[in-house]
Amino acid sequence: MPESRPPFPPFTLESAIQKVRAAEDGWNSRNPEKVALAYTPDSSWRNRSEFVDGRDAIVAFLDRKWRKELEYRLIKELWAYTDNHIAVRFAYEWHDDSGNWFRSYGNENWEFDDNGLMSRRYACINDIPIQEGERLFHWPQGRRPDDHPGLSALGL
């Protein structure tokens, strides 16, 4: 039986929002092996200036990322969607091993196969230094609570 990850294309507004939240939840788990299962085995990414191809490379990339970006907390928001494409905007907060805090902003374009697995991901990201007192993402590591404001509510 082929791998699958609902909801499946073609997307509706409701299913696109569900897909975005599922991606946010996965990334907030900071579990590279689990996150990689949402992508096709031959998934192709561009993340900033790095090109990543296939699940093994995705796992290695995410492992490196979350070793550098400590106390990572992410919020994604649907921007647009079509049959099998979703565009999101996102922000995440993290600090480096010296205690310097950052808020990273970006946009992603996603393409899905018929089984709901992401086959392509293109991410553009910018990092802004912030003071610890400027942080807006205050929940315990892991899934963002349902009652925590999203990007628009936070004015981001």
Side-chain angles (χ1 to χ4, degrees):
M1 181 160 187
E3 296 175 275
S4 65
R5 184 67 60 114
F8 307 110
F11 296 113
T12 63
L13 175 59
E14 180 180 301
S15 65
I17 290 170
Q18 290 172 349
K19 195 63 129 176
V20 171
R21 182 59 191 246
E24 175 188 313
D25 291 348
W27 281 62
N28 276 328
S29 77
R30 295 176 306 132
N31 180 332
E33 291 81 12
K34 178 183 172 187
V35 171
L37 294 176
Y39 301 90
T40 60
D42 62 348
S43 187
S44 179
W45 289 15
R46 183 187 47 74
N47 192 89
R48 301 178 192 251
S49 61
E50 188 170 349
F51 294 84
V52 179
D53 292 302
R55 282 190 181 153
D56 290 342
I58 290 169
V59 169
F61 170 85
L62 293 173
D63 185 59
R64 260 189 344 269
K65 172 183 180 62
W66 291 321
R67 286 183 192 273
K68 174 188 172 199
E69 297 176 353
L70 306 173
E71 298 205 40
Y72 176 95
R73 287 171 179 80
L74 165 73
I75 300 176
K76 291 183 182 281
E77 184 174 280
L78 177 67
W79 188 254
Y81 69 96
T82 63
D83 292 339
N84 70 328
H85 293 91
I86 294 178
V88 299
R89 65 190 201 93
F90 63 87
Y92 60 92
E93 294 179 346
W94 58 281
H95 69 81
D96 62 18
D97 59 3
S98 297
N100 300 302
W101 281 92
F102 298 87
R103 186 174 301 123
S104 300
Y105 297 95
N107 300 293
E108 293 177 331
N109 296 310
W110 302 340
E111 181 176 279
F112 294 88
D113 71 4
D114 292 340
N115 296 316
L117 297 173
M118 194 181 302
S119 58
R120 289 196 271 178
R121 174 184 172 268
Y122 303 108
C124 298
I125 307 167
N126 299 298
D127 302 317
I128 308 294
I130 61 172
Q131 298 299 311
E132 186 171 2
E134 296 175 291
R135 293 179 53 222
L136 298 173
F137 302 177
H138 298 284
W139 66 85
Q141 288 282 200
R143 185 179 193 278
R144 176 174 56 102
D146 290 335
D147 62 349
H148 190 284
L151 295 178
S152 292
L154 290 168
L156 300 175

